[in-house]
Amino acid sequence: MAETQNLFSNLQHSRDAVCRADGLACARGAITVFEGVSFSLAAGQALCLRGANGSGKSSLLRQLAGLLPAAAGTLTHPDPAYGTHYLGHADGLKAALTIAETLAFDAALAGYRADNDAYADIAARLGLAGCDWQFVGDLSAGQKRRLTLARLIMDPRPLWLLDEPMTALDAAGRALVTDLAEAHLENGGMIIAASHETLDFADEEVLLEPRR
Amino acid sequence: MAETQNLFSNLQHSRDAVCRADGLACARGAITVFEGVSFSLAAGQALCLRGANGSGKSSLLRQLAGLLPAAAGTLTHPDPAYGTHYLGHADGLKAALTIAETLAFDAALAGYRADNDAYADIAARLGLAGCDWQFVGDLSAGQKRRLTLARLIMDPRPLWLLDEPMTALDAAGRALVTDLAEAHLENGGMIIAASHETLDFADEEVLLEPRR
Amino acid sequence: MLKALENISAFYANPTRFMALARQVHRPLWALAIGVLAYGLYRVAYVPADYQQGDSVRIMFVHVPAAWMSLFGYSFIFIASVTALIFRHPLGHVAARAAAPVGAVFTLLALITGSLWGQPMWGTWWVWDARLTSVLVLFFIYLGYIALWQAIDEPTRAARAASILAIVGFINVPIVKFSVDWWNTLHQPASVSRLARPALHADFLYPLLIMGAGFLVLFLALTLTRMQMEVLRQRLRARAPKGEPPHV
Amino acid sequence: MSGLMRIFAAICSQHMHLSWRSGQTMLAVSFLFIAITLLPFGLGPELKLLRALAPGLLWVVLAISLLTGLERLFQADYEDGTLDRLLLVPLAFEAVVLAKLLGHYLALVLPLILAVPLAGLLLNIEAARLPVLLAAMLCGSPALVLLGGIGASLAVSVRRGGLLTVLIAMPFYVPVLIFGAAAGRAGLETGVAVGPYLGILAALSAASLLLAPFAIAAALRSALR
Amino acid sequence: MSGLMRIFAAICSQHMHLSWRSGQTMLAVSFLFIAITLLPFGLGPELKLLRALAPGLLWVVLAISLLTGLERLFQADYEDGTLDRLLLVPLAFEAVVLAKLLGHYLALVLPLILAVPLAGLLLNIEAARLPVLLAAMLCGSPALVLLGGIGASLAVSVRRGGLLTVLIAMPFYVPVLIFGAAAGRAGLETGVAVGPYLGILAALSAASLLLAPFAIAAALRSALR
Ligand code: HEM
Ligand SMILES: Nc1ncnc2c1ncn2[C@@H]1O[C@H](COP(=O)(O)OP(=O)(O)OP(=O)(O)O)[C@@H](O)[C@H]1O
Ligand SMILES: Nc1ncnc2c1ncn2[C@@H]1O[C@H](COP(=O)(O)OP(=O)(O)OP(=O)(O)O)[C@@H](O)[C@H]1O
Ligand SMILES: [Mg+2]
Ligand SMILES: [Mg+2]
């Protein structure tokens, strides 16, 4: 995490934070997608959501981010507005901005401004070339995905919600995600990720079984 | 392939078809993404494109589909209008249609019309429930991906171009893709797929190295 | 009194109790609507032809109650939406959604009968008179509200969006009315004037009031029936096991 | 039905289906009425003035409603990858384009034109004059759609190219509007022959029909690169 | 600059930046001029008539250009996931909405209004009368943006909800248009006081400012479910 230390001196998250679900249920439209999901996560732990296609992993992540209300059960989690990163299927990138402009916006949403060298550093760390002229709309699928990781680096928040974090990434990209995740866990962060692949950084799993 | 045999009695593709690239180059914007790529593929063979993020795999597939012109070199391939399926990152699905309506459109683009039972069969084969009322916009990422596979089943074309075919799919979904691919190869079809994972059905690999 | 109202409303927040009540009420309500309307029409048939307007004055007995209902309908939607959104009364959305097309049809009826009346009275189907124009705008607000309900497939999302629109739109109605009045009194040429309205004779007044009452009961009956349909549809949806169509 | 015809029909009817499903058709018609309703607020409610301006206003409102709808004619298909697919069907891409334009015309433009008589009443055009206006719009509207389609296709690769569509299409609309409004006025004044105007409008439509599919297909192909 | 203010500024300026980068700003202004140019073709070129109608026409054209642009105000952010992100910033979502609306106003509406004097000259309004028109538009346009934003946010989860935006927003535009056009006419006739009209327009804007951010934030939140 050498480069990011220029921005944040290895910020430690509170060791008391928890993220817990108790008998959680999720309704989409008229359908109950899952029911009775419970888990508990303490600082420094990572959880991998598993389940067949359509079993409600993405929906659960949106519930944790406060974007989707719970149909039943209770959720305890950090205040999403300060404590949560949510990386979903939609990447929130603007095709008409350059990489540097995108990073500057990320910085501003984190409440600060850095100089161009810092942005170039971060882009290099993410394996992206042409920081100050490459338009985001021209990036390849994996390059876009890498760019979204910048948010995790630039804005330290305790809870990361990652929906299929390995999508479109090559081997180096996967290693990058794993590195970031491990450093985050060491600093006392929490991660909940949905994936169909094995995630090296996750120590626990929750299996969502579709209600039939 | 029991269900699809209702629609197509195991159509055999011509054993003479080839797909060949000779010294192919690709330019995007002012940048040459790759140069001097050559390969050759005969009926019944599958090729996996490999390469780091941004090395030009998706661009090469678009060239093969006739959507992007070659900057240099030659391409020999079946006429895209009759001979090629291209499944890219953009899925071409309409959120406001139901699954059955989507399948009916797929059938019509293949030049025929089937009855509702046939569509329900195909949806079941793809592991999708609620064929005649579920809106595509409400499907999960993996379910959408599965639905795009219907085109491969419903319209027999010799060359399949698959961009990251395993994205968002669970274990059953991956097995489904592998099954479809193997049946296609047995029938004399050709497949070129770009992926960061190992594809069981591909016997050859081409590595794209970014030109720096 | 307020407390009692609250209790009643809480009691019927349960859709099952509402449905039980509705089953008891809906036949008498329809009977009443048909009865009052029939009696009203009978009275209208015996109203003497107007010395100025001839028989076309009979349009009034449809037009005026329809116009009243257009305003009543939107107020009804507003109150139902507030109940649903702020007091979280589950039947509010159902009532608002059920009433919207009914109100819109009454508004359209007021517009059409007004136009039909305008042709013999003013020699034209339409004038940009203040009252007419504000009814037209009201009709558009209805249309937007209905379109919003239909455009969003997910029921809870549609319900929230529609109630936001209903509430904001209700604030807009008096503003439109007031601005249109001003616009028109400033610039309406004297050549087009509304018919001079003498104090209404009792021969006209009573049939009009009866028709008004009939329209009101008709509105309530139609809305209640549509509410029942809506609740049934929601139930079928909720009970549908996975793999069955959630909408009927 | 042959395979190619089935493809043509499927593309056309899918477009119509989506327009109807998403409420576009009803909304286009409402838009016409709302625009007609807004105009008197700006211009004042004098009937005579409105009547004199009515055919021209109706044409301009029709053109603007059309443009508003055209904006996303190819945009959605471009973004979600449907255009990629439609390039890989055994039908000439020009025919694919024509199928989409036809679907757009049937689903959105025709209902709009059929709503014009009622809108004309609001602006107080005499009922007897409406057939001429309607005929003029039927003759001229294909040109509006086809030429608007050129704008829509050129703007497609530009993100949020909506207003670009408008900017590109509007100059093409000028001749149609001039003759359309002239036909409408001729229909109002007895003794002025309407036929020549209708002929010119039909000729404009025919010329666009020959030209537009090729231009649009070429523009879309290059947008997909 | 404090963190929260920086977030507000970033959201606002990103919106402006994107509008400018994608050519929206220039296009909105061109749209105004093209619409103004098309109108005489539809209405016939009599100068006196045009002059009398000019303020009203300018208001109607302004309203329609605005609506055309508003349509996609939140749509792109909704589709690409930016709205999800903006719900997770340490700023009240109402303030986020206000930042976007302000960005939209500064990038698209203000340039449009500043282009009005030139357009007015094309329609032959006397130069001395323009300041009143301009003042009226400055007072009334925030209401148009804020109320249009309500329509845009309600239509956001609807695919191609563009025309729905228009349908919802237009009834709200009626009062602004009425008083706007009245102020414009009062500006043309000497002796009629303009002040009250401007006051009403400003009051409408202020009332919308109090109401709209809450309605929009609520609508967007429920769209994201
Ligand atoms: C489309 C055209 C018309 C519309 C939209 C319209 C609208 C309305 C409305 C909204 C009301 C109820 C107002 C209230 O009670 O506060 C009303 C009442 C009435 N209208 Fe019309 N009207 C139209 C045409 C006409 C015409 C042509 C006439 C007769 C020449 C007419 C005569 C009346 C009368 C006599 C009343 C009752 C007045 C009262 O109760 O205060 N209307 N109309
Ligand atoms: N219009 C363009 N202008 C400039 N560069 C472009 C343009 N389009 C694509 N590129 C560049 O072309 C390269 C190849 O992109 P492509 O999408 O083919 O990569 P890929 O191998 O599919 O990568 P991934 O594994 O991430 O999917 C990328 O580096 C991308 O930045
Ligand atoms: N608006 C809706 N109406 C009805 N059903 C919906 C709606 N939205 C989502 N669903 C259903 O909810 C289920 C859960 O979807 P979700 O995206 O959470 O699944 P997932 O576990 O992330 O799947 P994947 O592995 O494919 O990403 C799916 O079966 C989907 O069809
Ligand atoms: Mg998912
Ligand atoms: Mg790729």
Side-chain angles (χ1 to χ4, degrees):
Chain A
M1 305 253 332
E3 289 88 347
T4 57
Q5 281 173 3
N6 302 341
L7 292 175
F8 309 99
S9 37
N10 231 358
L11 187 134
Q12 294 287 325
H13 297 290
S14 150
R15 293 273 159 191
D16 308 329
V18 286
C19 181
R20 185 174 332 151
D22 260 318
L24 192 68
C26 169
R28 309 283 324 231
I31 292 170
T32 302
V33 180
F34 58 75
E35 279 180 321
V37 170
S38 306
F39 58 81
S40 168
L41 201 70
Q45 288 189 312
L47 185 78
C48 181
L49 297 178
R50 305 209 156 267
N53 288 141
S55 55
K57 302 179 294 300
S58 303
S59 308
L60 177 53
L61 290 179
R62 288 184 76 82
Q63 288 183 322
L64 287 165
L67 297 169
L68 189 71
T74 54
L75 265 179
T76 321
H77 55 80
D79 178 357
Y82 299 85
T84 306
H85 271 302
Y86 168 69
L87 292 191
H89 291 297
D91 54 20
L93 295 175
K94 298 291 180 188
L97 297 183
T98 64
I99 295 178
E101 285 163 347
T102 306
L103 293 175
F105 184 62
D106 291 341
L109 284 196
Y112 64 93
R113 179 164 34 184
D115 58 356
N116 274 331
D117 291 345
Y119 300 144
D121 275 358
I122 291 177
R125 178 159 162 65
L126 298 171
L128 298 172
C131 178
D132 49 346
W133 56 264
Q134 178 76 278
F135 282 102
V136 171
D138 292 338
L139 293 179
S140 78
Q143 288 168 334
K144 278 191 193 134
R145 205 65 214 183
R146 283 160 179 250
L147 186 50
T148 60
L149 300 176
R151 296 169 204 166
L152 304 178
I153 303 180
M154 296 173 76
D155 189 1
R157 295 180 167 211
L159 177 60
W160 290 2
L161 304 172
L162 311 177
D163 203 350
E164 316 213 13
M166 299 310 189
T167 300
L169 291 178
D170 58 11
R174 282 159 207 244
L176 177 69
V177 171
T178 309
D179 286 354
L180 287 178
E182 277 168 358
H184 178 61
L185 295 174
E186 257 164 45
N187 292 342
M190 295 179 284
I191 302 179
I192 302 185
S195 183
H196 298 294
E197 303 177 33
T198 28
L199 300 178
D200 293 340
F201 56 82
D203 15 46
E204 280 177 74
E205 292 194 354
V206 166
L207 182 69
L208 295 184
E209 310 212 41
R211 201 188 77 126
R212 300 259 154 190
Chain B
M1 303 249 333
E3 291 86 348
T4 57
Q5 280 173 4
N6 302 342
L7 292 174
F8 310 99
S9 36
N10 231 357
L11 186 135
Q12 294 287 325
H13 297 290
S14 150
R15 294 271 160 193
D16 307 330
V18 287
C19 181
R20 185 173 332 153
D22 260 320
L24 192 67
C26 169
R28 311 275 333 223
I31 293 171
T32 302
V33 180
F34 58 76
E35 277 181 322
V37 170
S38 306
F39 58 80
S40 170
L41 201 70
Q45 288 188 313
L47 186 77
C48 179
L49 297 179
R50 303 207 158 269
N53 289 141
S55 55
K57 302 179 294 300
S58 302
S59 308
L60 177 52
L61 290 179
R62 288 183 77 81
Q63 288 182 322
L64 287 165
L67 297 169
L68 189 70
T74 55
L75 265 179
T76 321
H77 56 80
D79 177 356
Y82 298 85
T84 306
H85 272 302
Y86 167 69
L87 292 191
H89 292 298
D91 53 21
L93 295 175
K94 299 291 180 189
L97 297 182
T98 63
I99 295 179
E101 286 163 348
T102 307
L103 293 175
F105 184 62
D106 291 341
L109 284 196
Y112 66 93
R113 178 163 34 182
D115 59 355
N116 274 331
D117 291 344
Y119 300 144
D121 275 358
I122 292 176
R125 179 160 162 64
L126 298 171
L128 298 172
C131 178
D132 50 347
W133 54 264
Q134 178 76 277
F135 283 102
V136 172
D138 292 338
L139 293 179
S140 78
Q143 289 169 333
K144 279 193 192 130
R145 203 67 214 182
R146 283 160 180 250
L147 187 50
T148 60
L149 300 176
R151 298 170 202 165
L152 304 178
I153 304 180
M154 297 173 75
D155 189 1
R157 296 179 168 211
L159 177 61
W160 290 3
L161 304 172
L162 311 177
D163 204 349
E164 317 212 12
M166 299 310 188
T167 300
L169 292 178
D170 58 12
R174 281 158 207 245
L176 178 69
V177 171
T178 309
D179 286 353
L180 287 178
E182 276 168 0
H184 178 62
L185 295 175
E186 255 166 46
N187 293 342
M190 297 179 284
I191 302 179
I192 302 184
S195 183
H196 298 293
E197 304 176 34
T198 28
L199 300 177
D200 293 339
F201 55 82
D203 14 48
E204 280 177 73
E205 291 195 353
V206 167
L207 182 69
L208 295 184
E209 311 213 40
R211 205 188 74 128
R212 300 263 149 183
Chain C
M1 170 69 196
L2 209 67
K3 191 73 196 155
L5 211 68
E6 223 167 68
N7 285 342
I8 295 174
S9 117
F11 184 76
Y12 287 113
N14 179 339
T16 314
R17 293 196 196 117
F18 163 76
M19 288 301 272
L21 175 78
R23 250 194 310 279
Q24 283 173 7
V25 167
H26 98 270
R27 270 167 209 274
L29 201 61
W30 272 104
L32 188 66
I34 292 168
V36 176
L37 281 176
Y39 179 62
L41 286 174
Y42 164 80
R43 291 287 300 264
V44 169
Y46 287 90
V47 160
D50 189 74
Y51 72 100
Q52 260 183 335
Q53 309 177 25
D55 272 332
S56 64
V57 73
R58 289 183 216 288
I59 295 178
M60 176 176 81
F61 299 101
V62 178
H63 167 75
V64 176
W68 286 340
M69 281 306 110
S70 68
L71 297 172
F72 176 79
Y74 200 77
S75 317
F76 183 93
I77 292 173
F78 169 71
I79 292 168
S81 302
V82 170
T83 322
L85 204 63
I86 298 173
F87 303 109
R88 301 194 172 277
H89 197 291
L91 281 175
H93 291 308
V94 175
R97 180 174 199 179
V102 182
V105 166
F106 279 119
T107 313
L108 190 62
L109 194 64
L111 283 167
I112 290 173
T113 51
S115 291
L116 290 176
W117 203 2
Q119 181 61 15
M121 290 300 101
W122 306 330
T124 166
W125 301 99
W126 185 261
V127 285
W128 291 98
D129 163 83
R131 186 181 253 172
L132 275 59
T133 309
S134 51
V135 174
L136 187 62
V137 174
L138 178 64
F139 183 61
F140 286 129
I141 296 181
Y142 269 116
L143 282 190
Y145 180 79
I146 296 170
L148 191 61
W149 263 112
Q150 287 188 338
I152 306 178
D153 334 299
E154 185 159 343
T156 50
R157 215 196 287 160
R160 280 186 70 84
S163 41
I164 293 169
L165 180 61
I167 291 168
V168 179
F170 188 72
I171 303 168
N172 195 36
V173 169
I175 298 180
V176 167
K177 176 99 183 74
F178 142 82
S179 60
V180 165
D181 275 344
W182 199 4
W183 166 67
N184 198 255
T185 46
L186 280 178
H187 297 285
Q188 168 96 4
S191 62
V192 187
S193 63
R194 288 173 60 85
L195 97 160
R197 183 156 51 86
L200 220 48
H201 192 277
D203 281 353
F204 293 86
L205 185 61
Y206 290 117
L208 184 61
L209 290 180
I210 294 168
M211 286 299 284
F215 269 54
L216 178 63
V217 185
L218 180 63
F219 179 96
L220 294 176
L222 280 166
T223 304
L224 186 72
T225 306
R226 286 183 47 84
M227 278 175 77
Q228 283 174 293
M229 280 163 46
E230 188 64 30
V231 171
L232 284 179
R233 188 160 45 187
Q234 283 184 3
R235 277 190 185 172
L236 280 173
R237 218 184 262 216
R239 285 199 187 153
K242 214 169 173 182
E244 296 274 308
H247 34 67
V248 186
Chain D
M1 204 160 30
S2 89
L4 289 191
M5 278 195 46
R6 175 159 283 136
I7 297 177
F8 188 93
I11 294 171
C12 175
S13 72
Q14 196 212 37
H15 193 96
M16 291 175 66
H17 195 70
L18 287 172
S19 305
W20 182 258
R21 175 76 48 89
S22 61
Q24 290 289 300
T25 305
M26 292 318 298
L27 286 170
V29 173
S30 327
F31 179 78
L32 179 80
F33 282 106
I34 293 188
I36 293 292
T37 315
L38 276 190
L39 276 167
F41 295 120
L43 304 184
E46 293 87 15
L47 276 183
K48 278 194 200 120
L49 181 67
L50 283 177
R51 175 184 299 190
L53 297 179
L57 286 178
L58 279 173
W59 268 103
V60 173
V61 169
L62 179 74
I64 291 183
S65 330
L66 256 178
L67 280 174
T68 321
L70 272 173
E71 185 197 340
R72 308 239 335 126
L73 173 55
F74 300 111
Q75 191 70 32
D77 281 353
Y78 172 74
E79 282 168 8
D80 70 14
T82 302
L83 274 189
D84 289 347
R85 262 193 101 183
L86 294 182
L87 267 165
L88 300 185
V89 294
L91 193 65
F93 194 50
E94 284 73 17
V96 170
V97 165
L98 210 57
K100 281 209 90 72
L101 289 170
L102 182 63
H104 192 79
Y105 189 83
L106 294 177
L108 290 175
V109 183
L110 213 53
L112 216 55
I113 293 179
L114 298 181
V116 158
L118 206 58
L121 287 183
L122 283 181
L123 290 177
N124 230 44
I125 306 183
E126 294 134 62
R129 310 297 190 181
L130 282 173
V132 174
L133 187 62
L134 212 59
M137 288 188 165
L138 284 174
C139 292
S141 55
L144 293 184
V145 172
L146 290 159
L147 297 170
I150 298 182
S153 63
L154 287 171
V156 91
S157 61
V158 185
R159 252 141 237 276
R160 304 172 80 196
L163 280 172
L164 185 58
T165 309
V166 176
L167 189 58
I168 295 171
M170 273 225 174
F172 291 105
Y173 277 28
V174 169
V176 181
L177 277 183
I178 291 177
F179 291 111
R185 270 195 296 273
L188 287 181
E189 297 155 29
T190 34
V192 180
V194 175
Y197 293 113
L198 296 188
I200 294 178
L201 287 173
L204 286 172
S205 289
S208 332
L209 188 62
L210 287 180
L211 177 74
F214 296 94
I216 295 174
L220 290 181
R221 264 209 202 90
S222 82
L224 284 173
R225 298 227 159 131
Chain E
M1 203 159 30
S2 87
L4 290 191
M5 280 197 43
R6 174 159 283 136
I7 297 176
F8 188 94
I11 294 170
C12 175
S13 72
Q14 197 213 35
H15 194 96
M16 291 175 66
H17 195 72
L18 286 171
S19 305
W20 182 258
R21 176 75 49 87
S22 61
Q24 290 288 300
T25 306
M26 292 319 297
L27 286 169
V29 174
S30 327
F31 178 80
L32 181 80
F33 282 106
I34 294 189
I36 294 291
T37 321
L38 274 191
L39 275 168
F41 294 116
L43 303 185
E46 293 87 17
L47 275 185
K48 275 195 203 125
L49 186 65
L50 277 180
R51 174 185 300 190
L53 297 180
L57 282 178
L58 280 173
W59 268 102
V60 175
V61 169
L62 178 75
I64 291 185
S65 333
L66 256 178
L67 279 174
T68 321
L70 273 172
E71 186 197 342
R72 305 234 343 120
L73 172 55
F74 301 111
Q75 192 70 32
D77 281 353
Y78 172 75
E79 282 168 9
D80 70 13
T82 301
L83 274 190
D84 290 346
R85 262 191 101 183
L86 294 182
L87 266 165
L88 300 185
V89 295
L91 193 64
F93 194 50
E94 285 73 16
V96 170
V97 164
L98 211 57
K100 282 210 87 75
L101 289 170
L102 182 63
H104 192 78
Y105 189 83
L106 294 177
L108 290 175
V109 183
L110 214 54
L112 216 55
I113 294 179
L114 298 181
V116 158
L118 205 57
L121 289 183
L122 284 181
L123 290 177
N124 228 43
I125 305 184
E126 294 136 61
R129 310 296 191 182
L130 283 173
V132 174
L133 188 61
L134 212 58
M137 288 188 164
L138 284 175
C139 291
S141 53
L144 293 183
V145 173
L146 289 158
L147 296 171
I150 297 182
S153 63
L154 286 170
V156 88
S157 64
V158 183
R159 254 140 238 274
R160 304 172 79 196
L163 282 173
L164 186 58
T165 309
V166 176
L167 182 59
I168 293 173
M170 273 221 174
F172 290 96
Y173 277 27
V174 165
V176 181
L177 273 183
I178 289 177
F179 293 113
R185 269 193 298 272
L188 288 182
E189 296 156 29
T190 35
V192 181
V194 174
Y197 294 112
L198 296 187
I200 294 178
L201 288 172
L204 286 172
S205 289
S208 327
L209 189 62
L210 286 180
L211 180 75
F214 295 95
I216 295 174
L220 290 180
R221 263 207 203 91
S222 84
L224 284 174
R225 296 226 161 135

